[in-house]
Amino acid sequence: MLQILDENGKVINEDKKPDLSDEQLQDIMYRMVYTRILDQRAVSLGRQGRLGFYAPVAGQEASMIGSHYAVDKEDWIAPGYRDIPQLIWHGYPLWQSYLFSKGHYKGGQMPEGVNALVPQIIIGAQIVQTAGVALGLKKKGKSQVVITYTGDGGASQGDFYEGMNFAGAFHVPAIFVVQNNQYAISVPAEEQTAADTIAQKAVAAGIEGIQVDGMDALAVYAATQKARQNAVDGNGPTLIETLCYRYGPHSLSGDDPTRYRTSEEDDEWEKRDPLVRFRKYLEDKGLWSEEKENEIVEQAKADVKAAMKEVEETPRQKVSELIEIMGNELPYNLREQLEEYRAKESSK
Amino acid sequence: MAEMTMIQAITDAMRTELKNDEDVLLFGEDVGHYGGVFRATEGLQKEFGEARVFDTPLAESGIGGLAIGLGVTGFRPIMEIQFIGFIFEVMDGLAGQMSRMHYRTGGYYDSPITVRAPFGGGVKTPELHPDSLEGLMAQMPGMRVVIPSTPYDAKGLLISSIRSDDPVFYLEHMKLYRSLKGEVSEEAYTIDLDKADIKREGKDITFIAYGAMVHSALKAAEQLSEENIEAEVIDLRTVSPVDLDTIIESVKKTNRAVVIQEAQRQAGVAAGISAEISERAILHLEAPVARVTAPDTVYPFASDEDIWLPDHNDIIEKAKATIDF
Ligand SMILES: Cc1ncc(C[n+]2csc(CCOP(=O)(O)OP(=O)(O)O)c2C)c(N)n1
């Protein structure tokens, strides 16, 4: 397993340490703190019933931010439902992520220039699509890559193997990240597979595979950066398994993690917290302070507030709008129903 | 008799059959230790052990294949698909394999499998969780599609499904899981598959419904009764194959029919039924067979579902239009 920072923020693997400027290091920390706050706010908004579907991410910041920091703005992302932070840092507006959460179709309208698929609900679908995006990029002669995310559970789906195998066979610029946060809802990773690691599954697809400490932002960054370079250089795809933990419930829709996890286990993982570890590392270098962190916290809170305001001002979607967005050209049944529902809506 | 919610009746049916037949196995995602995301399998692993009630890796196609393999080696699998929208992952398992096992082997092998899946709107689940896909399932020859509407029916129909030597797709409407209670016998009992139930007698118009829409139809019937319109409400219980005898007999009495489904209008169960009525009873009809359905869009998540889903008012409106035809 690739690890660069230990639990006290000390570098233990000097020659694997990525070449990042002070500003970049601070930027990674900034994004992780911001993400933690976004998560806390989303959980509380969710509990108040002001969001729709939400899957908490605390504990996975190094995995999410570290990997995403290694890709370019022009690169593509194919996220799962939990991968909202990477999308936000890729340019997907926060308020739209809330609309996505509430199932509003405007949540799925990626802004111009944001090369991303909509967060996937069907586990595994993004993995096969990634092979397609990567082949598309290769055929167009682009130097972009595509990065996709799933969980340890997702690595059991047929689509996972098909996607990696295709990407290997077509030798395309794809990065498959499996965030092994130890549980697929209630099922622990060791019941998911008899393989020692998920990373080793790359062997069967004939591609590179690496397991990294997913609570260590530097390690995740280094692995992803190398995977990206390989992809751009025409050396094919990589599978990265990030070992991490999800502190919260699987989602806010009724999951109770105390039914399948102990608090000792939670505590054990919290000791490896990605924010604490990175903060210590930066503090030792004189690159971080409490004031700086508080500023970020306030900034994130203000951004959440502004985004919620925008969401609450967005008109509720109408059934007639849903009918209109079913396709480019509406067939007779939809044209008929469009009239019917418009009439219904205007009589209300 | 005991008061049970629908989900309790479902758990009770599985417990009854796990007890009754040691070849019954229960598996799926999160069904074991956790007891299912809806708690439908709560306590069953504890009671029957990990060899009979177990979690699988996260792969629906794998779950379906496992069931088929266990089926031909003498087991009677109950497989859970966590939410209906994930069924696409195992469509080959269902349509291409399970439903044609008897046919393909000339009756040498069977698929004595029950596929359970929650479906249905009104509980604000994310996309691809609530869709009404029974029309799609109904198009698989060799597969029965069962949808209960009450706790009592849920238990009896599930026991019959588990005992059936042919595969049964057993759909559980999420909104009904906990929204109603009813008397359920604690004994093992069965309800015939392929047999509709007349949930309310009437002489003026026939409502044909299933799942949660049975309750909307009953509500509509109550309100219409205040205007001296007596609707007969048929609960299909099995949507593939449908019990045409019960339907046609009713239509011959009332001369009017409204077919009601939560699913989109295009194709589907209601379309098939209205065609059958037209073919078999056209001369008894005083008005065209009407349908109450959702529009032909994908299922909208959360904020729109109460407008999108048909309700008792839509049924009343269609009923009146049919009577005034
Ligand atoms: C095809 C499919 N099957 C099942 C589900 C239901 N489901 C949603 S998340 C989940 C567990 C996923 O675990 P994992 O892949 O480890 O990712 P994590 O949620 O832990 O990030 C399940 C079973 C789904 N969304 N899609």
Side-chain angles (χ1 to χ4, degrees):
Chain A
M1 180 180 76
L2 176 67
Q3 193 179 26
I4 292 170
L5 293 180
D6 71 5
E7 289 174 22
N8 300 312
K10 300 276 182 260
V11 175
I12 53 164
N13 206 343
E14 192 63 49
D15 51 314
K16 292 277 167 55
K17 201 178 79 177
D19 192 18
L20 287 163
S21 69
D22 288 353
E23 287 69 39
Q24 287 175 311
L25 290 172
Q26 286 168 318
D27 210 17
I28 290 174
M29 185 64 190
Y30 168 85
R31 292 180 185 206
M32 290 203 291
V33 172
Y34 191 97
T35 300
R36 176 73 55 95
I37 301 302
L38 288 191
D39 187 64
Q40 287 171 357
R41 298 301 301 140
V43 168
S44 112
L45 289 166
R47 298 240 149 93
Q48 294 163 35
R50 292 168 72 194
L51 282 187
F53 173 78
Y54 182 72
V57 303
Q60 295 187 220
E61 292 89 348
S63 170
M64 292 175 159
I65 302 300
S67 60
H68 179 257
Y69 203 71
V71 301
D72 275 13
K73 172 78 188 112
E74 281 68 41
D75 290 337
W76 280 72
I77 306 191
Y81 48 84
R82 202 181 299 282
D83 304 305
I84 307 295
Q86 301 95 302
L87 273 183
I88 304 262
W89 294 110
H90 213 60
Y92 177 52
L94 187 58
W95 67 278
Q96 277 189 284
S97 80
Y98 294 158
L99 286 180
F100 165 77
S101 162
K102 288 157 100 64
H104 198 296
Y105 71 91
K106 289 199 165 140
Q109 295 172 329
M110 284 296 151
E112 204 44 49
V114 177
N115 296 327
L117 301 184
V118 175
Q120 185 54 254
I121 293 292
I122 293 300
I123 292 173
Q126 72 272 34
I127 313 285
V128 270
Q129 291 167 15
T130 288
V133 172
L135 183 58
L137 296 174
K138 182 175 167 177
K139 282 189 183 298
K140 295 246 157 148
K142 308 271 188 192
S143 59
Q144 292 146 281
V145 309
V146 50
I147 187 166
T148 188
Y149 294 88
T150 192
D152 38 301
S156 293
Q157 283 284 17
D159 279 358
F160 173 74
Y161 300 94
E162 293 180 28
M164 281 201 305
N165 190 54
F166 269 46
F170 289 111
H171 208 68
V172 291
I175 306 172
F176 301 95
V177 181
V178 173
Q179 303 190 71
N180 181 352
N181 66 9
Q182 312 307 320
Y183 290 90
I185 308 189
S186 71
V187 179
E190 58 278 11
E191 284 180 34
Q192 219 37 260
T193 174
D196 288 338
T197 70
I198 290 172
Q200 76 193 51
K201 295 182 182 236
V203 175
I207 68 174
E208 286 292 316
I210 180 172
Q211 188 185 51
V212 302
D213 180 343
M215 308 293 263
D216 173 358
L218 280 189
V220 178
Y221 174 84
T224 317
Q225 206 246 347
K226 185 160 170 243
R228 183 177 190 281
Q229 200 53 53
N230 272 336
V232 173
D233 292 345
N235 297 328
T238 303
L239 166 65
I240 302 172
E241 176 188 8
T242 65
L243 281 176
C244 55
Y245 201 68
R246 128 174 86 76
Y247 297 153
H250 166 73
S251 78
L252 296 185
S253 324
D255 175 51
D256 173 10
T258 64
R259 290 165 63 91
Y260 53 89
R261 278 188 339 215
T262 61
S263 57
E264 293 78 58
E265 187 186 342
D266 288 346
D267 295 346
E268 216 29 63
W269 279 95
E270 275 177 40
K271 280 190 208 141
R272 301 176 219 172
D273 190 276
L275 272 63
V276 174
R277 188 187 297 200
F278 210 65
R279 186 185 293 120
K280 283 185 186 155
Y281 172 65
L282 292 186
E283 277 169 357
D284 286 350
K285 289 163 103 40
L287 293 175
W288 204 248
S289 67
E290 214 180 303
E291 294 88 85
K292 209 186 253 305
E293 183 146 338
N294 287 338
E295 256 172 52
I296 302 166
V297 171
E298 291 316 311
Q299 176 72 52
K301 285 185 180 163
D303 290 354
V304 169
K305 214 168 178 182
M308 272 319 279
K309 186 154 180 277
E310 198 146 354
V311 166
E312 276 153 14
E313 281 168 4
T314 305
R316 181 179 171 152
Q317 71 187 2
K318 296 184 184 148
V319 172
S320 59
E321 288 174 304
L322 288 179
I323 295 171
E324 283 173 306
I325 59 169
M326 278 312 297
N328 286 302
E329 264 174 54
L330 296 191
Y332 86 93
N333 56 328
L334 287 172
R335 284 200 306 269
E336 214 176 85
Q337 289 164 19
L338 186 59
E339 269 175 47
E340 187 189 324
Y341 280 85
R342 275 189 184 149
K344 249 190 187 174
E345 283 156 4
S346 64
S347 72
K348 276 206 173 143
Chain B
M1 292 289 240
E3 276 268 295
M4 285 189 204
T5 59
M6 184 131 129
I7 200 153
Q8 285 168 334
I10 287 168
T11 313
D12 195 51
M14 290 190 282
R15 178 180 294 112
T16 304
E17 287 311 279
L18 279 160
K19 215 180 273 176
N20 170 56
D21 179 352
E22 62 182 36
D23 286 331
V24 172
L25 301 176
L26 169 60
F27 52 88
E29 294 160 13
D30 301 288
V31 304
H33 168 74
Y34 196 59
V37 292
F38 288 101
R39 311 280 186 265
T41 56
E42 179 129 51
L44 297 179
Q45 185 177 71
K46 214 168 187 179
E47 196 173 337
F48 298 98
E50 286 176 27
R52 299 194 54 210
V53 179
F54 52 94
D55 290 324
T56 63
L58 202 172
E60 290 75 14
S61 170
I63 294 169
L66 200 70
I68 294 167
L70 286 164
V72 297
T73 49
F75 289 95
R76 207 169 266 289
I78 309 172
M79 56 174 266
E80 179 177 300
I81 295 296
Q82 200 162 67
F83 286 92
I84 187 70
F86 316 154
I87 207 72
F88 298 113
E89 302 291 321
V90 58
M91 273 313 274
D92 178 58
L94 301 174
Q97 312 300 328
M98 210 178 279
S99 58
R100 44 180 84 202
M101 183 64 82
H102 190 91
Y103 157 79
R104 184 180 275 152
T105 64
Y108 190 72
Y109 288 127
D110 276 319
S111 287
I113 299 164
T114 304
V115 185
R116 293 179 40 245
F119 83 112
V123 293
K124 306 208 184 299
T125 53
E127 66 162 335
L128 283 156
H129 286 62
D131 303 52
S132 289
L133 302 180
E134 65 278 4
L136 204 60
M137 304 306 150
Q139 219 186 345
M140 297 188 270
M143 177 77 78
R144 278 197 171 66
V145 182
V146 170
I147 304 179
S149 72
T150 66
Y152 183 85
D153 287 1
K155 179 171 173 182
L157 290 167
L158 184 49
I159 292 180
S160 296
S161 302
I162 297 169
R163 293 185 186 177
S164 167
D165 289 330
D166 294 320
V168 176
F169 201 92
Y170 182 94
L171 283 161
E172 303 165 9
H173 198 290
M174 282 184 262
K175 197 171 176 191
L176 299 183
Y177 267 154
R178 294 193 160 82
S179 65
L180 72 156
K181 284 195 163 191
E183 289 292 318
V184 175
S185 166
E186 280 153 303
E187 309 294 303
Y189 64 92
T190 57
I191 293 176
D192 287 348
L193 303 179
D194 306 350
K195 196 86 196 79
D197 183 37
I198 298 175
K199 291 272 193 280
R200 182 187 198 277
E201 305 235 6
K203 58 178 180 26
D204 300 320
I205 188 163
T206 300
F207 292 164
I208 300 146
Y210 54 93
M213 283 296 129
V214 170
H215 301 281
S216 302
L218 286 169
K219 189 165 173 187
E222 290 302 310
Q223 293 191 14
L224 285 166
S225 178
E226 286 162 23
E227 299 174 43
N228 292 322
I229 298 170
E230 296 304 332
E232 180 143 301
V233 178
I234 296 179
D235 177 356
L236 288 174
R237 298 201 294 202
T238 298
V239 302
S240 180
V242 287
D243 176 3
L244 289 176
D245 288 348
T246 303
I247 295 171
I248 300 301
E249 203 181 311
S250 173
V251 171
K252 283 184 177 166
K253 176 172 73 173
T254 65
N255 313 112
R256 293 174 181 86
V258 180
V259 195
I260 303 146
Q261 68 180 18
E262 208 177 289
Q264 293 86 339
R265 184 178 169 94
Q266 62 187 62
V269 171
I273 291 171
S274 34
E276 294 285 2
I277 297 173
S278 307
E279 279 190 21
R280 290 164 200 258
I282 188 92
L283 296 177
H284 294 272
L285 289 175
E286 296 285 348
V289 179
R291 276 181 287 164
V292 174
T293 70
D296 293 326
T297 72
V298 294
Y299 192 97
F301 172 28
S303 60
D304 262 345
E305 57 182 17
D306 47 344
I307 306 164
W308 190 87
L309 288 168
D311 67 8
H312 64 282
N313 290 317
D314 299 315
I315 300 171
I316 291 173
E317 206 178 296
K318 268 282 154 63
K320 286 186 174 166
T322 301
I323 283 169
D324 294 341
F325 180 76

